[in-house]
Coordinates of all heavy atoms in Angstrom, one line a residue:
E1058 N 105.8 -85.7 103.6 CA 104.8 -85.0 102.9 C 105.0 -85.0 101.3 O 104.1 -85.2 100.5 CB 104.7 -83.5 103.4 CG 103.7 -82.6 102.8 CD 103.7 -81.3 103.3 OE1 104.6 -80.9 104.0 OE2 102.8 -80.5 102.9
K1059 N 106.3 -84.9 101.0 CA 106.7 -85.0 99.5 C 106.2 -86.3 98.9 O 105.6 -86.3 97.9 CB 108.2 -84.7 99.4 CG 108.7 -83.4 99.7 CD 110.1 -83.3 99.5 CE 110.7 -81.9 99.9 NZ 112.3 -81.9 99.8
L1060 N 106.6 -87.3 99.7 CA 106.3 -88.7 99.1 C 104.7 -88.9 99.1 O 104.3 -89.5 98.1 CB 106.9 -89.7 100.1 CG 106.7 -91.2 99.8 CD1 107.1 -91.5 98.4 CD2 107.3 -92.1 100.9
A1061 N 104.1 -88.5 100.1 CA 102.6 -88.7 100.1 C 101.9 -88.0 98.9 O 101.0 -88.6 98.4 CB 102.0 -88.2 101.4
L1062 N 102.3 -86.7 98.7 CA 101.7 -86.0 97.6 C 102.1 -86.6 96.2 O 101.3 -86.7 95.3 CB 102.2 -84.5 97.6 CG 101.5 -83.7 98.9 CD1 102.1 -82.4 99.0 CD2 100.0 -83.7 98.7
E1063 N 103.3 -87.1 96.2 CA 103.8 -87.7 94.9 C 103.1 -88.9 94.6 O 102.7 -89.2 93.4 CB 105.3 -87.9 95.0 CG 105.9 -88.6 93.8 CD 107.4 -88.9 94.0 OE1 108.2 -88.0 94.5 OE2 107.8 -90.1 93.7
A1064 N 102.9 -89.7 95.6 CA 102.2 -91.1 95.5 C 100.8 -91.0 95.6 O 100.1 -92.0 95.4 CB 102.8 -92.1 96.5
E1065 N 100.2 -89.8 96.0 CA 98.8 -89.7 96.3 C 98.4 -90.7 97.3 O 97.2 -91.3 97.1 CB 97.9 -89.6 95.0 CG 98.3 -88.5 94.1 CD 97.1 -88.1 93.1 OE1 96.2 -89.1 93.0 OE2 97.2 -87.2 92.3
D1066 N 99.2 -90.9 98.3 CA 98.9 -91.7 99.4 C 98.3 -90.9 100.5 O 98.9 -90.3 101.3 CB 100.0 -92.5 99.8 CG 99.8 -93.6 100.9 OD1 99.2 -93.3 101.9 OD2 100.1 -94.8 100.6
W1067 N 96.9 -91.0 100.6 CA 96.2 -90.1 101.5 C 96.2 -90.5 103.0 O 96.0 -89.7 103.9 CB 94.8 -89.8 101.0 CG 94.8 -89.4 99.6 CD1 94.2 -90.0 98.5 CD2 95.5 -88.2 99.1 NE1 94.6 -89.2 97.4 CE2 95.3 -88.2 97.7 CE3 96.2 -87.2 99.7 CZ2 95.8 -87.2 96.9 CZ3 96.8 -86.2 98.8 CH2 96.5 -86.2 97.5
E1068 N 96.5 -91.8 103.2 CA 96.7 -92.2 104.6 C 98.0 -91.7 105.1 O 97.9 -91.2 106.2 CB 96.8 -93.8 104.7 CG 96.9 -94.3 106.1 CD 97.0 -95.8 106.3 OE1 97.1 -96.4 105.2 OE2 96.8 -96.3 107.3
L1069 N 99.0 -91.7 104.4 CA 100.3 -91.1 104.8 C 100.1 -89.6 105.0 O 100.6 -89.0 105.9 CB 101.5 -91.5 103.9 CG 102.7 -90.8 104.1 CD1 103.3 -91.2 105.5 CD2 103.8 -91.2 103.0
Y1070 N 99.5 -89.0 104.0 CA 99.4 -87.5 104.1 C 98.5 -87.1 105.3 O 98.8 -86.1 106.0 CB 98.6 -87.0 102.8 CG 98.6 -85.5 102.8 CD1 99.8 -84.8 102.6 CD2 97.4 -84.8 102.8 CE1 99.8 -83.4 102.5 CE2 97.4 -83.4 102.8 CZ 98.6 -82.7 102.6 OH 98.5 -81.3 102.5
K1071 N 97.5 -87.9 105.7 CA 96.7 -87.6 106.8 C 97.6 -87.6 108.1 O 97.4 -86.7 108.9 CB 95.6 -88.7 106.9 CG 94.9 -88.7 108.3 CD 94.0 -90.1 108.4 CE 94.8 -91.3 108.5 NZ 94.0 -92.5 108.4
L1072 N 98.4 -88.6 108.2 CA 99.3 -88.7 109.4 C 100.3 -87.5 109.4 O 100.6 -87.0 110.5 CB 100.2 -90.0 109.2 CG 99.3 -91.3 109.6 CD1 100.2 -92.5 109.4 CD2 98.7 -91.3 110.9
V1073 N 100.8 -87.2 108.3 CA 101.8 -85.9 108.1 C 101.0 -84.7 108.7 O 101.5 -84.0 109.6 CB 102.2 -85.8 106.6 CG1 102.9 -84.4 106.6 CG2 103.2 -86.9 106.3
V1074 N 99.8 -84.5 108.2 CA 99.0 -83.3 108.6 C 98.7 -83.4 110.1 O 98.9 -82.3 110.8 CB 97.8 -83.2 107.8 CG1 96.9 -82.0 108.3 CG2 98.1 -82.9 106.3
Y1075 N 98.4 -84.5 110.6 CA 98.1 -84.7 112.0 C 99.2 -84.4 112.9 O 99.2 -83.8 113.9 CB 97.5 -86.1 112.2 CG 97.3 -86.5 113.7 CD1 96.4 -85.7 114.5 CD2 98.1 -87.4 114.3 CE1 96.1 -86.0 115.8 CE2 97.9 -87.7 115.6 CZ 96.9 -86.9 116.4 OH 96.7 -87.2 117.7
Y1076 N 100.4 -85.1 112.5 CA 101.6 -84.9 113.4 C 102.1 -83.5 113.3 O 102.6 -83.0 114.4 CB 102.6 -85.9 113.0 CG 102.2 -87.3 113.3 CD1 102.5 -88.4 112.5 CD2 101.6 -87.6 114.5 CE1 102.1 -89.7 112.7 CE2 101.2 -88.9 114.9 CZ 101.5 -90.0 114.0 OH 101.2 -91.2 114.3
Y1077 N 102.0 -82.8 112.2 CA 102.4 -81.4 112.1 C 101.4 -80.6 113.2 O 101.9 -79.7 113.9 CB 102.1 -80.8 110.8 CG 103.3 -80.8 109.9 CD1 103.3 -81.5 108.6 CD2 104.5 -80.1 110.3 CE1 104.5 -81.4 107.9 CE2 105.6 -80.1 109.4 CZ 105.5 -80.7 108.2 OH 106.8 -80.6 107.4
H1078 N 100.2 -80.9 113.1 CA 99.2 -80.3 114.0 C 99.5 -80.5 115.5 O 99.4 -79.7 116.3 CB 97.8 -80.6 113.7 CG 96.7 -80.0 114.4 ND1 96.2 -80.6 115.5 CD2 95.9 -79.0 114.2 CE1 95.2 -79.9 116.1 NE2 95.1 -78.9 115.3
E1079 N 99.7 -81.9 115.7 CA 99.7 -82.4 117.1 C 101.1 -82.0 117.9 O 101.1 -81.6 119.1 CB 99.5 -83.9 117.1 CG 99.5 -84.4 118.5 CD 98.1 -84.1 119.2 OE1 97.2 -83.5 118.6 OE2 97.9 -84.6 120.4
F1080 N 102.2 -82.1 117.1 CA 103.5 -82.0 117.8 C 104.3 -80.8 117.4 O 105.1 -80.4 118.3 CB 104.4 -83.3 117.3 CG 103.9 -84.6 117.8 CD1 103.3 -85.5 117.0 CD2 103.9 -84.9 119.2 CE1 102.8 -86.7 117.5 CE2 103.4 -86.1 119.6 CZ 102.9 -87.0 118.8

Side-chain angles (χ1 to χ4, degrees):
E1058 183 177 8
K1059 291 178 186 176
L1060 176 57
L1062 291 172
E1063 179 184 314
E1065 294 197 354
D1066 189 302
W1067 306 119
E1068 180 179 15
L1069 176 58
Y1070 188 68
K1071 168 189 68 184
L1072 292 177
V1073 168
V1074 174
Y1075 173 64
Y1076 291 138
Y1077 265 123
H1078 179 274
E1079 186 74 4
F1080 295 109

